[in-house]
Amino acid sequence: MISFKLNGQTVNVEAPGDTPLLWVVREHLTMKGTKFGCGMGLCGACSMLIDGVSTRTCIMPVQAVANRHITTIEGLGNPQMMSTLQNAWVEADVPQCGYCQSGQIISATALLSQNNNPSDSDIDIAMSGNICRCGTYPNVKKAIKNAAADLRNGKGRLQAVQVFDPTATASPETQEVQS
Amino acid sequence: MSVTEQPLTQNKQTLENSSRRSFLKKMGIVGGGLVVGIPLTGCASVKFPNAMDGDLQPNALLQITANNDIYFYLPRSEMGQGVYTGLTTMLAEELDVHPGKIQVKNVGAHEEYANPEYGLQLTGGSNSIRVHFIPLRQMAANVRMVIRQAAAQVLQLPLDQIQTDNGMIVANGKKLPYGDFTKVAAHLSLPEETPLRKKADFKYIGKHSKRLDAVAKSTGSAEFGLDVEFAGLHRAALKRCPVSGGTVKSFDDSKVKSLPGVKAVVSIFNGVAVVADHYYQAKATLPVLDVQWELPETLSDFSSDSTEAGNGKQLFKAALDSDESDNAHKEGNGREALKTSDTVVSGEYWAPYLAHATMEPMNCTAKFTGNKLEIWTGCQNPGVAAKLAAFYGDVAKDDVTVHSTFLGGGFGRRISSDYVAEAVSIAKASGFPVQLIWSREDDTKRDYYRPASMAEFQVGLDKDGNIDSWNVKRSGPNILPYTIDEVTDAMMPGFLPDGMVDWISKAGYGLFDGWTVDPTSVEGLFEDYDANHKSVDHVTVDPGLPVGFWRSVGHSFSGFFKESMMDEVAISQQQDPVTYRLKHLKSNPRLANTLKLAAEKAGWGKPLPEGHYHGVAVHASFLSYVTQIAEVSVNNGQIKVHKVTCVLDCGLAVNPEIVIQQMESGILFGLTAALYGEITVKDGAVVQSNFHDYPILRMNESPDIEVIIVESDEAPTGVGEPGLPPIAGAVGNAIFAATGKRLRSLPFKLS
């Protein structure tokens, strides 16, 4: 059994230690916001924050995240309560097909948590690990700048919610999950 | 049927499209679908979710409940191109409801959702906004009218005192929701020709309105095919023959069956599938699953980098140089006119096979309950998917239910439903409800690729250096036979014996040898510029790698070929590429206008930063007109695209922001192809596998893009694809300006 914090909740998972974190979250915990794109850590669709760092979870063994803090797109906000970046994404009409956008927002969150006034080149460096086949890059850049401005003005937060599902019946601290 | 048989008119693109349609009809692959508009009759066989007593359900597309909930059943597939917002905006306009108030639902498969132009429930060809622009608005206007009529009846007021505002009836100074009148309206007969709003009165069309799917897609809550989940669902991975078309000779699953999570190992029509509790378990077994393959005949002998005669690029070159060609189009004296030319400028161009590489790999979920079959998938062609599912699942077509999701990218890849056939076959053989997930490697190696193409131009000039004759010959595979091959199983009546179906299906290949030309093989090579004489010839050469519709289809290579050639001609005459193009666009004023505007916006001919050069390209496709000017520098063999100025005339822009995004999207998609895109083949197997060897443009490599939309009162035309065709030409022409090197092959390589 491997235990870690997922969006503020402790979860215990029965899965082989070398199982990629992505599949534990998607199939064992059935949280589908984080996507599968390449399986080689090349495209960023599977990005989650591990202790605040944007990480490719399709190649991250679940045993390596024991006792660490994981944040997925669901942990940043939900349709009723979005984070500043998610709001900026909607305002700038960023998503096209939308499939890569969870990963884009996770990487942007990691960037703004370190730097609330990123230059174009800071943004390029932080976001170049996330491929978008629809080519939403111009609007991704615009949304990041808008969100950064909101944060600098004290009008925003990178995480709008602490717990993925406020209606979950499991106790907020521990959720047992079987494989 | 061929382009040649059509008389010339000013609008050649319409001709091409109608020729494609008539071709499909003659091939018998157009079902008994709708030709014009959406019928306003109720359809008892369509089930509406949330149906309540008192709902107004005038057709399969719209439902207004007594609670004033308004549901729009989206007939086209949302794959990023924006129909979810665009079609809803059009409906909202005439219904007089804010688009954000309408709840949009993805629909399953039903003939009521047929694309009015194709007769199939197909999303493709950049036609969604165009073909629904009148019918959808007319339907909504009629519905708004019937609600007003019902309100007049209930409130005992004359109709002209019943107005509407954002989903409310406004009468006697009061506002009452539409839902208050749906029960009465449902019993009135629907008016048919309610006048539509004029452009000056539009509240939503042409204005900026937010993408209606942006919240779901920014919070991880939008459901894609891969996100489908239910109790008892198993996951499958499929081992396919390295060579497309290969089948299973034998297999040994002894090392696999005892591995963790494995529930079944089954052989299907194109491979051996492992069904497990989890995807990572199923996928982990494939390396130790031993399968012997029956290789297909032709493709196994093909290697695209081979220098042997009759192989690789040589095969295309030999075909091009042969006398065996079919004429696709002729104007004036055609190629004969070359004899009297003052000068002939020639050029030979190449574009490789390309994969679609949608971010969401192909996938499908299939579940049998007795003789009933349900499938979940995001696809561009749910009607054909349903029929293929019935065929491979051996159930009646009426017993198949399709649940549609958002598509994690389409670009033409999801017109084909091969992954549906596979998932259904695995579910049937294993007895488990399964989600078949393709790995990125599966997705890269088993595509319906953009066909590799070679073309040779011979452009005859008069004594003043102007174009007298435009002659082009293309060699390469055709797309339509592969499409026919796939849909034949699905569309043929069930009583035909299998042998007959096979015969009809295979006949598609022969059809292109000798008496007709697939329009998608030559589109865009010849239409845009004025010339007294034109000829377009075609030689089919097909190594057997499956090909399909890739964003902008034939225009994806012809835009590059034609615009590079035009640059060569202008430069050979020491003429400015913009001025020279304009001279030859007199019959194409909308394209000429985009060129003039782009030259002005980009500062064509004015000084650029040190080491930066401009290249220009124009191209009309999908009834839209686009010019792009690329600003490029070349240092130590490294090509950097700094800026792209794009001017588009797509008629009326329904959602201007989405139109701009689609231009950006097409440019970046085309730039990936221009700088990196290449699928190669070794002994019939695709060499590339993932994003390390089939790279996609990243943010740090993306240029600034400025998009200008031409103000227009014309009806809307395509935007999903037309942004792509000019970009490679614009960049190639800028590289020539920078280096003096004419790069005639894609992707661009300077070393």
Side-chain angles (χ1 to χ4, degrees):
Chain A
M1 178 131 51
I2 294 159
S3 170
F4 55 90
K5 284 248 186 190
L6 180 63
N7 298 331
Q9 290 186 330
T10 301
V11 292
N12 301 306
V13 182
E14 290 284 358
D18 60 355
T19 308
L21 176 61
L22 172 69
W23 295 108
V24 170
V25 171
R26 284 186 57 87
E27 292 192 0
H28 292 247
L29 304 171
T30 65
M31 285 172 59
K32 306 291 187 174
T34 311
K35 306 304 182 190
F36 165 59
C38 70
M40 283 179 73
L42 298 169
C43 77
C46 64
S47 302
M48 298 178 197
L49 296 175
I50 300 184
D51 296 331
V53 178
S54 178
T55 308
R56 311 295 169 250
T57 63
C58 67
I59 49 170
M60 171 62 70
V62 65
Q63 66 199 4
V65 302
N67 303 319
R68 295 171 75 179
H69 288 258
I70 314 294
T71 306
T72 66
I73 184 75
E74 294 93 339
L76 298 180
N78 58 49
Q80 288 72 42
M81 203 189 292
M82 291 191 289
S83 77
T84 301
L85 268 165
Q86 288 172 318
N87 263 316
W89 242 246
V90 172
E91 285 304 308
D93 274 332
V94 174
Q96 291 186 26
C97 91
Y99 192 78
C100 74
Q101 297 300 340
S102 297
Q104 302 277 355
I105 292 171
I106 287 288
S107 288
T109 301
L111 167 68
L112 294 191
S113 70
Q114 300 295 313
N115 177 358
N116 68 8
N117 196 8
S119 65
D120 276 5
S121 126
D122 293 336
I123 296 175
D124 278 351
I125 290 165
M127 302 304 293
S128 63
N130 290 79
I131 293 174
C132 174
R133 187 60 164 141
C134 301
T136 61
Y137 304 132
N139 281 358
V140 166
K141 207 174 254 189
K142 196 191 299 176
I144 290 174
K145 288 181 179 176
N146 292 344
D150 281 350
L151 290 169
R152 290 197 302 278
N153 296 331
K155 284 197 300 183
R157 48 190 177 167
L158 288 172
Q159 211 168 342
V161 295
Q162 292 300 319
V163 176
F164 161 55
D165 183 3
T167 62
T169 49
S171 80
E173 269 310 302
T174 309
Q175 189 184 2
E176 291 278 343
V177 179
Q178 300 302 317
S179 62
Chain B
M1 178 174 302
S2 74
V3 184
T4 335
E5 290 170 22
Q6 304 285 354
L8 274 170
T9 72
Q10 287 185 323
N11 199 340
K12 292 160 193 153
Q13 290 174 2
T14 309
L15 269 185
E16 272 187 76
N17 283 340
S18 68
S19 141
R20 193 180 308 178
R21 283 197 304 280
S22 74
F23 174 84
L24 289 169
K25 259 183 201 160
K26 285 184 194 176
M27 289 311 299
I29 61 172
V30 175
L34 309 170
V35 179
V36 180
I38 298 288
L40 296 172
T41 53
C43 179
S45 58
V46 178
K47 291 184 191 119
F48 300 101
N50 313 317
M52 296 169 52
D53 187 36
D55 289 358
L56 178 58
Q57 301 176 352
N59 51 57
L61 297 171
L62 179 64
Q63 176 191 21
I64 304 176
T65 72
N67 291 337
N68 214 30
D69 290 326
I70 301 172
Y71 296 97
F72 173 39
Y73 298 89
L74 188 69
R76 302 277 66 80
S77 304
E78 174 59 55
M79 47 189 166
Q81 86 281 37
V83 289
Y84 192 94
T85 307
L87 295 184
T88 307
T89 302
M90 283 155 34
L91 182 85
E93 184 68 60
E94 298 294 344
L95 206 55
D96 198 11
V97 180
H98 189 281
K101 242 186 179 172
I102 296 172
Q103 301 181 53
V104 186
K105 301 278 183 193
N106 290 321
V107 300
H110 195 283
E111 62 188 27
E112 291 273 322
Y113 301 121
N115 185 313
E117 192 163 271
Y118 305 135
L120 293 168
Q121 191 177 335
L122 177 72
T123 304
S126 294
N127 82 354
S128 298
I129 296 292
R130 174 169 62 81
V131 301
H132 289 288
F133 188 62
I134 299 294
L136 190 61
R137 286 161 63 225
Q138 187 64 60
M139 180 276 278
N142 296 340
V143 169
R144 175 169 161 259
M145 177 60 86
V146 83
I147 295 170
R148 285 179 62 211
Q149 288 169 348
Q153 194 178 317
V154 172
L155 302 173
Q156 301 283 306
L157 285 168
L159 187 65
D160 61 7
Q161 291 183 30
I162 307 283
Q163 299 307 320
T164 58
D165 178 38
N166 195 13
M168 309 287 270
I169 288 289
V170 183
N172 271 345
K174 280 191 207 155
K175 282 191 170 186
L176 299 161
Y178 285 177
D180 287 3
F181 306 99
T182 50
K183 196 166 188 174
V184 174
H187 292 98
L188 299 177
S189 66
L190 206 59
E192 279 182 8
E193 292 187 3
T194 313
L196 300 180
R197 273 191 185 156
K198 297 199 167 33
K199 188 185 172 191
D201 301 328
F202 283 161
K203 287 185 187 172
Y204 308 116
I205 291 177
K207 316 278 192 259
H208 176 69
S209 57
K210 294 271 165 256
R211 282 188 82 112
L212 301 172
D213 50 358
V215 170
K217 289 176 174 177
S218 301
T219 53
S221 50
E223 187 183 56
F224 296 89
L226 213 56
D227 301 335
V228 169
E229 187 68 72
F230 51 79
L233 181 60
H234 289 64
R235 262 79 188 186
L238 177 62
K239 187 161 190 163
R240 299 173 190 80
C241 179
V243 183
S244 190
T247 51
V248 178
K249 197 191 281 175
S250 64
F251 69 99
D252 175 4
D253 60 5
S254 55
K255 289 184 192 147
V256 170
K257 281 202 147 167
S258 57
L259 290 173
V262 172
K263 289 287 158 34
V265 182
V266 294
S267 178
I268 65 163
F269 65 93
N270 68 340
V272 180
V274 177
V275 177
D277 291 327
H278 294 295
Y279 171 65
Y280 58 85
Q281 295 168 328
K283 190 180 178 226
T285 67
L286 297 190
V288 290
L289 178 62
D290 184 19
V291 186
Q292 300 300 310
W293 302 104
E294 199 75 65
L295 294 176
E297 274 176 33
T298 47
L299 181 56
S300 311
D301 298 331
F302 183 69
S303 291
S304 63
D305 61 353
S306 173
T307 51
E308 296 161 40
N311 213 334
K313 221 190 253 192
Q314 299 298 317
L315 188 65
F316 290 73
K317 174 68 177 155
L320 201 60
D321 292 344
S322 76
D323 296 329
E324 304 280 318
S325 66
D326 304 315
N327 185 261
H329 180 78
K330 190 178 171 193
E331 283 174 57
N333 300 331
R335 208 169 273 272
E336 285 294 301
L338 281 171
K339 289 177 183 160
T340 56
S341 299
D342 205 70
T343 315
V344 176
V345 185
S346 305
E348 193 178 279
Y349 286 87
W350 166 258
Y353 288 104
L354 292 174
H356 294 79
T358 62
M359 288 308 294
E360 181 192 18
M362 298 303 113
N363 64 86
C364 176
T365 300
K367 180 188 180 184
F368 285 88
T369 309
N371 287 330
K372 307 274 186 193
L373 171 60
E374 288 173 273
I375 62 166
W376 289 258
T377 193
C379 71
Q380 294 177 245
N381 212 349
V384 168
K387 287 171 178 164
L388 269 183
F391 180 82
Y392 283 91
D394 195 21
V395 298
K397 284 169 187 165
D398 290 344
D399 287 335
V400 177
T401 304
V402 179
H403 304 279
S404 296
T405 64
F406 282 114
L407 284 64
F411 315 118
R413 175 61 182 89
R414 288 185 156 96
I415 289 174
S416 300
S417 309
D418 43 334
Y419 43 91
V420 173
E422 291 174 349
V424 167
S425 301
I426 297 166
K428 185 164 181 67
S430 70
F432 289 105
V434 296
Q435 180 176 54
L436 171 68
I437 299 177
W438 287 34
S439 66
R440 175 58 53 191
E441 290 76 14
D442 294 334
D443 197 88
T444 307
K445 289 180 179 292
R446 201 49 59 89
D447 202 340
Y448 286 82
Y449 301 92
R450 192 282 299 275
S453 301
M454 192 176 275
E456 189 198 22
F457 292 86
Q458 288 188 296
V459 182
L461 307 182
D462 64 20
K463 62 180 172 30
D464 300 320
N466 293 321
I467 295 172
D468 179 54
S469 74
W470 183 273
N471 307 285
V472 56
K473 189 172 172 187
R474 183 257 188 189
S475 68
N478 305 301
I479 292 168
L480 285 177
Y482 287 92
T483 310
I484 293 165
D485 205 25
E486 183 183 47
V487 300
T488 302
D489 282 346
M491 306 306 272
M492 284 295 134
F495 57 80
L496 281 180
D498 287 349
M500 176 91 67
V501 172
D502 279 347
W503 180 81
I504 292 168
S505 141
K506 300 302 175 218
Y509 295 96
L511 282 176
F512 296 97
D513 299 333
W515 64 281
T516 187
V517 173
D518 179 347
T520 66
S521 296
V522 294
E523 62 187 1
L525 287 170
F526 63 98
E527 300 93 323
D528 285 341
Y529 294 113
D530 301 334
N532 297 319
H533 313 280
K534 287 186 182 179
S535 85
V536 183
D537 297 287
H538 191 262
V539 191
T540 295
V541 52
D542 188 350
L545 188 69
V547 294
F549 299 95
W550 188 94
R551 197 173 192 174
S552 82
V553 199
H555 298 284
S556 69
F557 54 83
S558 67
F560 166 64
F561 293 176
K562 179 204 65 170
E563 283 305 296
S564 303
M565 192 64 227
M566 189 61 176
D567 227 56
E568 292 205 58
V569 175
I571 287 162
S572 77
Q573 300 305 300
Q574 286 95 43
Q575 296 203 33
D576 173 71
V578 168
T579 315
Y580 192 76
R581 279 178 174 80
L582 283 172
K583 261 194 211 173
H584 294 88
L585 285 172
K586 298 211 165 63
S587 316
N588 207 342
R590 291 175 74 180
L591 190 56
N593 183 47
T594 63
L595 175 55
K596 284 180 208 158
L597 261 174
E600 196 182 302
K601 291 280 178 191
W604 179 265
K606 297 201 174 121
L608 288 171
E610 173 91 32
H612 289 209
Y613 295 86
H614 268 160
V616 64
V618 306
H619 198 78
S621 61
F622 306 94
L623 305 174
S624 290
Y625 305 85
V626 181
T627 295
Q628 287 165 7
I629 295 180
E631 184 183 324
V632 172
S633 66
V634 180
N635 283 309
N636 301 323
Q638 290 292 306
I639 300 159
K640 178 147 180 72
V641 183
H642 299 272
K643 186 174 180 188
V644 177
T645 304
C646 172
V647 178
L648 157 77
D649 179 350
C650 62
L652 176 71
V654 171
N655 296 98
E657 183 60 32
I658 293 178
V659 171
I660 290 169
Q661 288 173 9
Q662 283 308 297
M663 288 303 107
E664 293 170 346
S665 179
I667 288 166
L668 296 178
F669 206 94
L671 212 45
T672 288
L675 299 177
Y676 308 124
E678 187 170 28
I679 287 291
T680 56
V681 179
K682 175 81 179 137
D683 299 329
V686 167
V687 173
Q688 289 72 23
S689 60
N690 206 317
F691 294 126
H692 63 286
D693 54 10
Y694 192 73
I696 307 298
L697 201 76
R698 293 170 186 270
M699 185 187 274
N700 59 323
E701 302 154 311
S702 298
D704 290 337
I705 300 172
E706 184 183 7
V707 179
I708 295 107
I709 305 171
V710 174
E711 272 293 315
S712 174
D713 290 336
E714 301 285 332
T717 51
V719 299
E721 295 168 276
L724 190 148
I727 188 62
V731 171
N733 295 339
I735 293 170
F736 178 81
T739 64
K741 285 184 190 154
R742 176 61 62 184
L743 300 185
R744 297 189 181 89
S745 291
L746 292 180
F748 293 131
K749 283 173 195 151
L750 269 167
S751 46

